[in-house]
């Protein structure tokens, strides 16, 4: 049956939830162990900002999508990713990991990606965003959330992520559908778009920031105890979408992103060597020179605002 964006939009509207629906003072916060606290706080800080990167991606897609239900869907997804970031901030606050008005600081890789997106996000085309975002959602969002649910016993955390995961399943369903449609276009158009993508220096910089980020996050969560197999399964969801759809297989960029994910998670050379070198450079990069955090990050709040 054909995928109807208008039906999906209705489902998205029906399934809206708000931070105010959750009792943030319910018991369970004490289940965070002192041994977990430090690593979990750093992990949550990264997760909050990765949601925000996702939100920024959907904001760019809102500009690129044709008028109609898909554009409206992206608008909702933008707000949902912000809501995820806010819910994660509220969890951090519940666990005593945030001082009153302070914002968590993400790792340097994420800071650089945020700055890059702030500058170039709106220049990205629908084929590029539409191919990269589902991969990011599978690899980062998917794997990170699984890790959290395995490690954290606070029942409220599980309740929050039930909402978040249900949103994410719709993000992916739409993401794969768009990917399929992109692949169903005329071969000539796909070739032109791919060449246009390959020739843009700003995209090369983006790729040089994205690849060490994925590598660092996967190393981090494996170091914290996530089973490699689970991480791999999360990334495999992206590959499987291609296995199911011959149209998706027609997209050269899909193959590039797929092979990149596979090489990164399995630490294959030469990608691993490139990632290690880039991460070493990023560790020495003085992020101060980038100036302040972009203004859109100010929309973050742990307050239980209804969205
Ligand atoms: Fe999310
Ligand atoms: Fe998402």
């Amino acid at each position: 049956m054909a995928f109807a964006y208008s039906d999906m939009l209705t489902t998205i509207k029906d399934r809206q939830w708000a931070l105010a629906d959750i009792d943030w003072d319910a018991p369970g916060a004490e289940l965070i162990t002192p041994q977990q606290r430090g690593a979990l706080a750093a992990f949550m800080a990264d997760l909050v900002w990765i949601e925000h990167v996702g939100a920024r991606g959907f904001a760019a897609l809102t500009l690129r999508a044709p008028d109609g239900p898909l554009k409206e869907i992206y608008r909702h997804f933008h707000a949902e990713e912000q809501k995820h970031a806010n819910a994660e901030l509220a969890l951090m606050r519940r666990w005593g990991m945030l001082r009153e008005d302070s914002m968590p600081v993400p790792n340097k890789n994420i800071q650089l990606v945020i700055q890059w997106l702030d500058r170039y996000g709106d220049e990205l085309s629908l084929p590029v965003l539409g191919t990269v975002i589902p991969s990011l959602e599978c690899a980062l969002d998917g794997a990170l959330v699984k890790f959290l649910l395995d490690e954290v016993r606070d029942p409220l955390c599980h309740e929050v992520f039930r909402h978040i995961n249900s949103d994410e399943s719709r993000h992916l369903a739409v993401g794969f559908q768009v990917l399929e449609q992109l692949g169903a276009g005329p071969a000539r158009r796909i070739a032109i778009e791919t060449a246009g993508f390959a020739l843009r220096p700003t995209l090369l910089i983006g790729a040089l920031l994205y690849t060490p980020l994925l590598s660092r996050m996967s190393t981090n969560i494996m170091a914290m105890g996530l089973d490699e197999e689970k991480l791999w399964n999360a990334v495999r969801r992206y590959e499987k979408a291609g296995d199911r759809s011959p149209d998706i297989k027609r997209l050269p960029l899909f193959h590039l992103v797929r092979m990149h994910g596979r090489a990164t998670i399995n630490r294959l050379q030469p990608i691993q060597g490139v990632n290690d070198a880039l991460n070493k450079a990023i560790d020495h990069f003085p992020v101060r020179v980038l100036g302040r955090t972009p203004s859109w990050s100010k929309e973050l709040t742990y307050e239980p605002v209804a969205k």
Side-chain angles (χ1 to χ4, degrees):
M1 204 181 76
F3 188 98
Y5 288 116
S6 50
D7 290 351
M8 180 52 110
L9 180 59
T10 312
T11 311
I12 293 165
K13 286 182 178 164
D14 287 349
R15 303 278 159 87
Q16 285 303 302
W17 57 284
L19 265 66
D21 301 339
I22 293 163
D23 176 9
W24 297 98
D25 298 320
E30 69 289 348
L31 294 169
I32 302 295
T33 64
Q35 298 90 307
Q36 275 181 323
R37 188 164 289 277
L40 187 60
F43 173 86
M44 291 297 291
D46 289 345
L47 190 55
V48 165
W49 286 97
I50 284 175
E51 301 283 9
H52 225 66
V53 166
R56 186 67 185 77
F58 282 122
L61 273 168
T62 305
L63 292 177
R64 291 282 163 257
D67 284 335
L70 182 60
K71 202 183 198 63
E72 197 54 28
I73 286 175
Y74 285 144
R75 207 167 277 139
H76 278 81
F77 286 176
H78 174 198
E80 285 178 357
E81 296 292 11
Q82 286 180 318
K83 187 162 61 188
H84 299 170
N86 290 341
E88 287 151 14
L89 274 178
L91 277 175
M92 288 184 82
R93 202 168 129 77
R94 166 180 166 84
W95 295 334
M97 294 170 180
L98 275 189
R99 267 179 289 121
E100 278 309 304
D101 288 328
S102 67
M103 264 302 141
V105 180
N107 70 39
K108 272 191 183 181
N109 294 68
I110 299 180
Q111 291 182 42
L112 288 166
V113 167
I114 288 170
Q115 294 288 348
W116 180 86
L117 263 176
D118 193 44
R119 258 164 241 191
Y120 306 114
D122 289 344
E123 287 176 24
L124 297 174
S125 66
L126 184 66
V128 170
L129 289 162
T131 314
V132 175
I133 289 180
S135 149
L136 188 92
E137 300 229 67
C138 287
L140 295 178
D141 237 353
L144 298 179
V145 166
K146 271 189 194 63
F147 165 77
L148 206 65
L149 294 183
D150 282 355
E151 293 299 307
V152 175
R153 287 176 49 224
D154 180 357
L156 194 89
C157 175
H158 289 250
E159 182 186 337
V160 170
F161 278 95
R162 253 193 307 278
H163 288 300
I164 293 183
N165 274 340
S166 136
D167 292 346
E168 291 303 347
S169 67
R170 287 181 289 279
H171 295 187
L172 273 184
V174 172
F176 290 144
Q177 178 58 30
V178 169
L179 207 52
E180 201 166 323
Q181 260 177 311
L182 289 169
R188 213 175 80 90
R189 201 185 71 203
I190 295 174
I192 292 171
E193 280 166 356
T194 308
F197 158 78
L199 294 174
R200 301 267 294 278
T202 47
L203 283 170
L204 179 67
I205 300 172
L208 289 177
L209 293 175
Y210 171 71
T211 180
L213 168 69
L214 187 59
S215 164
R216 175 156 294 176
M217 294 306 293
S218 65
T219 313
N220 283 357
I221 48 175
M222 281 195 258
M224 286 198 286
L226 179 81
D227 181 8
E228 205 167 330
E229 195 58 32
K230 285 192 179 156
L231 182 58
W232 178 230
N233 281 342
V235 176
R236 279 275 300 152
R237 283 181 83 181
Y238 188 75
E239 288 207 347
K240 282 189 191 145
D243 294 344
R244 282 193 305 267
S245 157
D247 285 336
I248 292 182
K249 277 214 184 87
R250 293 176 72 217
L251 293 165
L253 188 54
F254 166 79
H255 290 280
L256 190 72
V257 172
R258 179 183 66 86
M259 282 184 325
H260 171 258
R262 179 180 271 264
T264 306
I265 305 302
N266 294 304
R267 309 179 69 81
L268 302 179
Q269 296 298 356
I271 282 283
Q272 192 53 42
V274 171
N275 284 338
D276 288 344
L278 287 168
N279 270 325
K280 211 171 266 170
I282 288 172
D283 283 340
H284 288 100
F285 186 82
V287 275
R288 279 174 286 113
V289 304
L290 295 172
R292 26 174 213 91
T293 326
S295 57
W296 41 268
S297 64
K298 301 263 171 12
E299 291 164 29
L300 283 175
T301 169
Y302 57 79
E303 296 288 350
V305 284
K307 260 234 165 98

